[in-house]
Amino acid sequence: MIKVAINGYGTIGKRVADAVRAQPDMEVLGVAKTRPNFEAETAIDKGFPLYAAIEEREDQFAAAGLDIAGPVAELVDAADIVVDATPSGIGAENKSLYEEYDTPALYQGGEDAALVDTSFNARSNFEDAVDADHVRVVSCNTTGLSRAIAPLREAFGVEKVRATLVRRGGDPGQTSRGPINDILPDPVTIPSHHGPDVETIFDDLDIDTLGMKVPATLMHMHSLNVTLEEAVDAAEVRDLFGDESRLFLIPKHMSIDGSGKLKEYALDAGRPRGDIWENAVWEESISTVGRDLYLFQGIHQESDVVPENVDAIRAVTGSADAEESIRTTNEALGIGL
């Protein structure tokens, strides 16, 4: 069993912890929090050993009636690999801790690509992370773009990608985020950071991205225009995407016309927290004009990177190849079933 430490038990960390626990070849050695809150209590209720991410705050956990297993350094030392799910920028600060104990580490997309040996997307460049010491699982939006681009490159070739990203203002629990009643170019300059980030996965890709933030919390929405190297029929793209386990094609008969109904569907289907681990591609939106492909896809920012973290654990530890890892992760979580 691969012994996994999770440093940061928030939006991503708690989901990764549950996903790791579900795997047949992994165990959660413990999770770390900077302070006591409802997520720290939930971690203990779920049986995850809780560690103090900041040693000087151990007394705060005791004051809140929460028993901790020790400081985060002890957790890192005992683990085979650590998943750093801390807020953007904190992972970079933690890198020296992981190096001190010679523990390989995964970071999230908010960290700079220069921090790590390679950026990672399971569908696109799994082998690049094999036996690496520091790997960055790219952001939710970059993950979503990479999953769609990879099969298109393989099947038809890609000349140019243009993507407009309509981004949620904040997650449901991020009460400090916005905008409240506005639509913001974010950034107002072109490209947004997403295009260069995708190029950390595909270094020869021609991609332009634009970003906006809107007063919503449920999901991001992508409008994609991909110029392929050959003319294709929309049906060919639908068939291609239909074979991709982490691309969920929303059929017309489901009458899902937006993010709200998509989340409602995930909850009704029994998905934990209403999570949508796959890209949600509206099948009707897949259209072609000559070599130009158009589509809309929804990206659940809280969960689409979760299976990627699990696969990155296997890549870094050299415990499975891409096909085996993706299959095992999907089966354990119920993706594509």
Side-chain angles (χ1 to χ4, degrees):
M1 300 287 280
I2 305 169
K3 298 177 181 178
V4 182
I6 297 172
N7 190 5
Y9 190 78
T11 299
I12 299 299
K14 63 189 178 184
R15 288 172 164 83
V16 172
D18 288 346
V20 167
R21 172 176 273 180
Q23 304 304 309
D25 56 345
M26 301 179 189
E27 64 173 313
V28 178
L29 206 59
V31 304
K33 289 285 292 181
T34 59
R35 59 188 176 87
N37 63 4
F38 75 93
E39 289 166 328
E41 291 195 14
T42 301
I44 290 175
D45 290 343
K46 288 190 171 188
F48 294 128
L50 180 65
Y51 289 77
I54 301 175
E55 191 169 355
E56 294 77 14
R57 295 185 185 176
E58 288 188 22
D59 59 335
Q60 294 184 15
F61 290 89
L66 300 179
D67 294 328
I68 60 172
V72 68
E74 293 181 3
L75 174 61
V76 171
D77 186 31
D80 296 322
I81 186 170
V82 57
V83 176
D84 188 298
T86 60
S88 299
I90 304 301
E93 297 177 10
N94 292 335
K95 184 178 181 180
S96 60
L97 171 66
Y98 309 143
E99 290 179 328
E100 179 182 350
Y101 291 98
D102 197 26
T103 304
L106 305 181
Y107 306 85
Q108 304 309 305
E111 302 301 330
D112 195 292
L115 179 72
V116 298
D117 302 322
T118 186
S119 295
F120 178 87
N121 173 256
R123 176 62 178 81
S124 309
N125 69 336
F126 186 100
E127 295 301 321
D128 290 350
V130 173
D131 296 329
D133 291 323
H134 300 277
V135 171
R136 169 178 167 265
V137 177
V138 292
S139 72
C140 52
N141 282 309
T142 305
T143 293
L145 291 169
S146 298
R147 286 176 179 169
I149 291 167
L152 293 173
R153 279 167 57 97
E154 294 167 7
F156 311 119
V158 169
E159 181 177 304
K160 176 80 175 181
V161 178
R162 301 170 184 85
T164 300
L165 294 82
V166 181
R167 301 163 57 208
R168 58 89 179 100
D171 293 341
Q174 291 178 313
T175 52
S176 63
R177 296 285 289 271
I180 302 288
N181 182 27
D182 209 344
I183 300 173
L184 305 179
D186 185 45
V188 70
T189 55
I190 298 171
S192 68
H193 72 272
H194 308 94
D197 202 32
V198 173
E199 290 172 340
T200 68
I201 302 296
F202 308 105
D203 59 10
D204 60 344
L205 183 69
D206 186 1
I207 178 171
D208 291 335
T209 55
L210 297 85
M212 292 182 283
K213 279 204 302 189
V214 297
T217 63
L218 295 179
M219 299 179 71
H220 302 302
M221 186 72 71
H222 294 177
S223 171
L224 263 61
N225 167 212
V226 182
T227 301
L228 304 170
E229 291 181 353
E230 61 183 82
V232 299
D233 187 80
E236 296 179 75
V237 178
R238 294 188 191 105
D239 289 342
L240 177 70
F241 281 3
D243 290 334
E244 294 288 321
S245 63
R246 293 181 186 171
L247 299 182
F248 167 48
L249 295 186
I250 305 170
K252 181 179 180 180
H253 74 264
M254 293 184 76
S255 298
I256 295 176
D257 58 5
S259 299
K261 286 182 182 176
L262 188 55
K263 285 286 289 181
E264 188 78 2
Y265 167 72
L267 288 164
D268 286 350
R271 288 289 186 92
R273 302 184 180 91
D275 285 347
I276 304 166
W277 300 297
E278 310 93 328
N279 296 23
V281 181
W282 273 266
E283 189 171 19
E284 282 182 279
S285 75
I286 298 174
S287 307
T288 55
V289 180
R291 295 189 295 123
D292 279 320
L293 163 69
Y294 302 88
L295 62 87
F296 288 114
Q297 63 177 9
I299 303 297
H300 185 212
Q301 75 283 354
E302 296 173 288
S303 67
D304 80 325
V305 301
V306 171
E308 307 300 320
N309 274 271
V310 174
D311 291 328
I313 290 170
R314 293 196 184 94
V316 169
T317 58
S319 58
D321 62 21
E323 182 178 356
E324 179 185 358
S325 180
I326 291 171
R327 182 177 62 252
T328 302
T329 300
N330 289 352
E331 289 176 354
L333 296 182
I335 295 174
L337 300 180

